[in-house]
Amino acid sequence: MKKSVLTFAVSAALMGITTQVNAAGFQLAEYSATGLGRAFAGEAAMADNAAAQARNPAMLAYLSGRQVSGGGIYVATEVDVTGDVHIASPVLGPQGVTLNADAYDVADSALIPNFYYSSQINDNWTWGLAVNSNYGLATELPATHAASLFGHHTEITTVEFNPNIAYRLNDAVTLGAGVRIVYGDGSIGAATPYWVGAIKANPNLPAQIAARLPEPGTVLKTMEGDDVSYGWQVGGSWQPSENHRFGLAYHSGVELELSGSAAGLVYTGGQNLDIEGYLPLELPAFAELSSFHQLSDDVALHASVNWTQWSVFDRLVAYFPGETKPVGGIESDLVKEENFKDSWRVAVGSTWNVNKDWTVRSGFAVDRTAVDDEFRTTTIPDSDRLWFSLGAGYRASENLTVDMAITYIRAHGFAPIDEHQDLAGLAQVSFNGEAGGSVWLAGVQLSYKM
């Protein structure tokens, strides 16, 4: 029990099961509806509007005058974790008990907003500001669900403020850099499953042991906290000819310490108190290599290869620096070995200028999981994903463009889950199942040249 909730806290921290389907680990990809229409293919080499700086600050050099872009992407999820919970204990006989623990539609739908501004200083310099979210989460299970022992509630919100500047070195080369200012806020919890009540009621269970078991729905561990931290990003582009451009961008990792309070029966022993605690979490660095190719006046193709350094997410440790310690006087708690690996994403897309007012986009992407089968958990049911995207842009006036996009993402391949948990030394609880599901994304982006 001691490790279950905080595992859910940070293994899901700054992400959601929604995110697990949209991008590997707990990374969000939805930075603009313009890019969504082409499955974010070619983003580090394209500058449709001010949102381009979110992926590559060097793209600011391609934006003239002052521009503003804002919008949102609605994420409609259908993520399921299906399987069984097996409880092994001497009081349940040699075979133990197996219970259904299917959980359907476990991730909340959400709207992910964004805002961008760019301003050309002169022929060489351009600066900009990006405000978006790269991580977020909202998941919920009933407090008495068969698998609530592994975590039943998580809600994480992040906002990133990102000032950038770009410099045009010559007609072919641009360079850019920016600062990442990330605020994160989160709360998590785990509770006692319904089947604990049946064990407590077993007449063969000694009274002193039954008294050690909490009632179904009892909060076992909770933690909430927030932090602000910093990182950086750099990028460049090379345009060898009028119709071909390449872009490369790198975003540093950001080290957060989600500081706040810990509570719940396991930590407090039933006393009415809060315990100061924090969870260090390194948001991984990521990079993108993109290309853009104008094949004719009306048709362009573009592609991206993305890398995320998920291997830094290998273990979770909670710390309790205050005078009030959890039960047992512990100062730290090894939450879980996660053993993530670096992940890759490949995307291809196209743009078709139908006429002077309408543009049509399409894209396809393969997004690889950040976790091997042996380390996948119910709290991070990560799997490979396939993206199918369509989008359109309408030039409403000389200065105003409206972009719309829709994307369907589905899990690809078998994603088994095999987890084990000790219940107060009285039983061994295991979950065996698999993760699956799909996500629909729909977005709108308004871009205006001032």
Side-chain angles (χ1 to χ4, degrees):
M1 261 318 299
K2 290 183 83 167
K3 314 247 196 248
S4 65
V5 182
L6 291 181
T7 299
F8 193 69
V10 184
S11 60
L14 302 184
M15 70 132 221
I17 294 179
T18 307
T19 310
Q20 295 159 16
V21 175
N22 296 352
F26 47 86
Q27 187 178 28
L28 285 172
E30 296 80 14
Y31 83 99
S32 85
T34 309
L36 180 66
R38 50 181 176 250
F40 301 111
E43 298 306 290
M46 301 181 70
D48 305 275
N49 50 52
Q53 64 188 295
R55 299 295 279 263
N56 186 353
M59 289 296 99
L60 282 169
Y62 286 90
L63 302 176
S64 60
R66 292 183 297 149
Q67 300 190 26
V68 63
S69 182
I73 296 176
Y74 185 74
V75 183
T77 67
E78 187 176 339
V79 180
D80 306 324
V81 178
T82 57
D84 296 321
V85 164
H86 181 76
I87 308 143
S89 174
V91 301
L92 300 176
Q95 302 300 319
V97 174
T98 299
L99 303 170
N100 179 270
D102 292 348
Y104 297 100
D105 198 18
V106 298
D108 291 344
S109 298
L111 177 67
I112 304 175
N114 63 73
F115 174 82
Y116 306 95
Y117 174 79
S118 68
S119 178
Q120 185 180 22
I121 301 171
N122 54 42
D123 290 343
N124 297 107
W125 292 94
T126 306
W127 74 275
L129 174 67
V131 183
N132 58 15
S133 177
N134 283 304
Y135 306 89
L137 165 66
T139 63
E140 193 80 32
L141 286 176
T144 57
H145 186 273
S148 63
L149 183 70
F150 297 95
H152 80 291
H153 164 77
T154 298
E155 186 171 354
I156 303 292
T157 301
T158 67
V159 180
E160 180 165 339
F161 299 88
N162 180 211
N164 298 289
I165 193 163
Y167 177 73
R168 177 170 290 281
L169 188 63
N170 53 45
D171 290 340
V173 178
T174 68
L175 302 173
V179 177
R180 305 181 65 192
I181 306 169
V182 180
Y183 169 78
D185 174 89
S187 63
I188 55 90
T192 309
Y194 74 89
W195 46 260
V196 173
I199 295 178
K200 284 174 64 70
N202 189 329
N204 298 320
L205 187 68
Q208 65 271 26
I209 296 179
R212 293 172 55 190
L213 295 174
E215 294 294 331
T218 299
V219 175
L220 299 171
K221 288 184 179 180
T222 64
M223 190 164 188
E224 60 182 6
D226 61 3
D227 189 25
V228 176
S229 192
Y230 308 91
W232 50 272
Q233 63 188 46
V234 294
S237 75
W238 174 52
Q239 187 163 334
S241 69
E242 181 181 359
N243 296 323
H244 301 280
R245 186 187 308 130
F246 300 88
L248 177 64
Y250 175 85
H251 301 244
S252 77
V254 176
E255 296 183 2
L256 289 171
E257 288 188 354
L258 300 181
S259 300
S261 61
L265 181 64
V266 173
Y267 280 145
T268 68
Q271 301 179 66
N272 185 23
L273 50 87
D274 286 333
I275 300 166
E276 181 184 353
Y278 69 91
L279 282 159
L281 174 64
E282 183 176 355
L283 305 180
F286 57 96
E288 178 174 354
L289 175 63
S290 297
S291 67
F292 171 83
H293 309 280
Q294 191 74 46
L295 303 184
S296 68
D297 291 341
D298 300 325
V299 177
L301 295 179
H302 22 87
S304 287
V305 176
N306 300 76
W307 165 83
T308 303
Q309 193 183 14
W310 279 116
S311 57
V312 301
F313 189 57
D314 58 349
R315 65 202 308 258
L316 304 171
V317 180
Y319 296 90
F320 309 102
E323 293 184 2
T324 303
K325 305 294 183 184
V327 172
I330 61 174
E331 296 189 357
S332 65
D333 187 13
L334 174 60
V335 176
K336 195 173 185 181
E337 298 284 351
E338 291 292 351
N339 296 305
F340 268 34
K341 61 180 181 180
D342 293 352
S343 67
W344 294 85
R345 182 181 190 273
V346 178
V348 294
S350 65
T351 300
W352 174 35
N353 295 317
V354 181
N355 53 45
K356 66 181 183 65
D357 293 327
W358 283 96
T359 299
V360 175
R361 304 179 180 95
S362 64
F364 171 78
V366 177
D367 202 354
R368 300 301 303 273
T369 179
V371 60
D372 289 322
D373 288 348
E374 62 184 302
F375 300 118
R376 186 176 291 106
T377 67
T378 55
T379 54
I380 307 185
D382 197 33
S383 63
D384 293 338
R385 292 152 300 277
L386 300 178
W387 290 56
F388 306 89
S389 299
L390 286 174
Y394 175 65
R395 187 180 180 187
S397 69
E398 182 177 352
N399 295 327
L400 177 64
T401 300
V402 181
D403 293 315
M404 302 154 284
I406 188 167
T407 291
Y408 174 70
I409 306 173
R410 67 176 177 87
H412 175 66
F414 182 52
I417 300 174
D418 186 18
E419 276 200 281
H420 304 274
Q421 182 68 60
D422 176 74
L423 177 61
L426 302 176
Q428 291 294 320
V429 184
S430 61
F431 177 89
N432 185 267
E434 64 176 303
S438 61
V439 173
W440 283 96
L441 308 177
V444 175
Q445 197 82 17
L446 301 178
S447 301
Y448 186 76
K449 298 179 179 180
M450 305 172 71

